[in-house]
Amino acid sequence: MGYLCGMDILAFRSFCLALPDVEETLPFDDVTLVYKVAGKMFAVIGLDDPSYCVVKCDPDRALLLRDRYDEVTSAWHFNKKHWNALRFGGRLSDRQVEQELRHSYLLVARRNVVPRARREVLLAQIAAAGIEDDSERFE
């Protein structure tokens, strides 16, 4: 079983699926889990190599994280401007991985979910659940 900092892949999965309107899919193959909010991708992890995940990120933040952490790189096979790969362990803590997952989820929910009416319902669910983007507070 792969470990993500101190978290195993089941904890990673549970974290993602606990967010409102998230589904787990296998659209690429039978070993690449893709997490979607309202049908839009926000996180990817491989069952064959759970030592890293891919998350969507604000472009300015993506560059900042890549400069600050060796464990954060542009994501292979994804738009390098908008997607980061997070290699678990090293200087990245569980909390930082969770922050980046939450940031990715909220970024997609706020900008990519359509139609607008569905986005508004989702954002109301997110607010009611108390989910906030705390990614600006680095450890």
Side-chain angles (χ1 to χ4, degrees), residues 12-48:
F12 178 91
R13 180 178 186 265
S14 294
F15 182 87
C16 290
L17 291 174
L19 299 167
D21 204 8
V22 169
E23 66 177 323
E24 179 182 72
T25 66
L26 291 161
F28 304 125
D29 54 39
D30 60 352
V31 296
T32 306
L33 293 173
V34 175
Y35 294 90
K36 297 179 178 182
V37 55
K40 302 293 183 176
M41 184 168 54
F42 76 93
V44 178
I45 191 168
L47 294 171
D48 57 342

Side-chain angles (χ1 to χ4, degrees), residues 32-95:
T32 306
L33 293 173
V34 175
Y35 294 90
K36 297 179 178 182
V37 55
K40 302 293 183 176
M41 184 168 54
F42 76 93
V44 178
I45 191 168
L47 294 171
D48 57 342
D49 183 7
S51 65
Y52 73 98
C53 71
V54 174
V55 294
K56 193 159 190 179
C57 192
D58 171 80
D60 293 332
R61 178 172 179 71
L63 292 174
L64 180 75
L65 291 169
R66 292 174 200 165
D67 285 344
R68 184 174 279 191
Y69 298 100
D70 292 337
E71 297 85 1
V72 180
T73 60
S74 59
W76 194 49
H77 289 308
F78 288 81
N79 182 317
K80 309 296 186 242
K81 181 177 179 182
H82 296 281
W83 291 87
N84 275 343
L86 309 177
R87 183 138 317 266
F88 304 120
R91 292 180 22 212
L92 284 181
S93 68
D94 290 350
R95 178 166 159 62

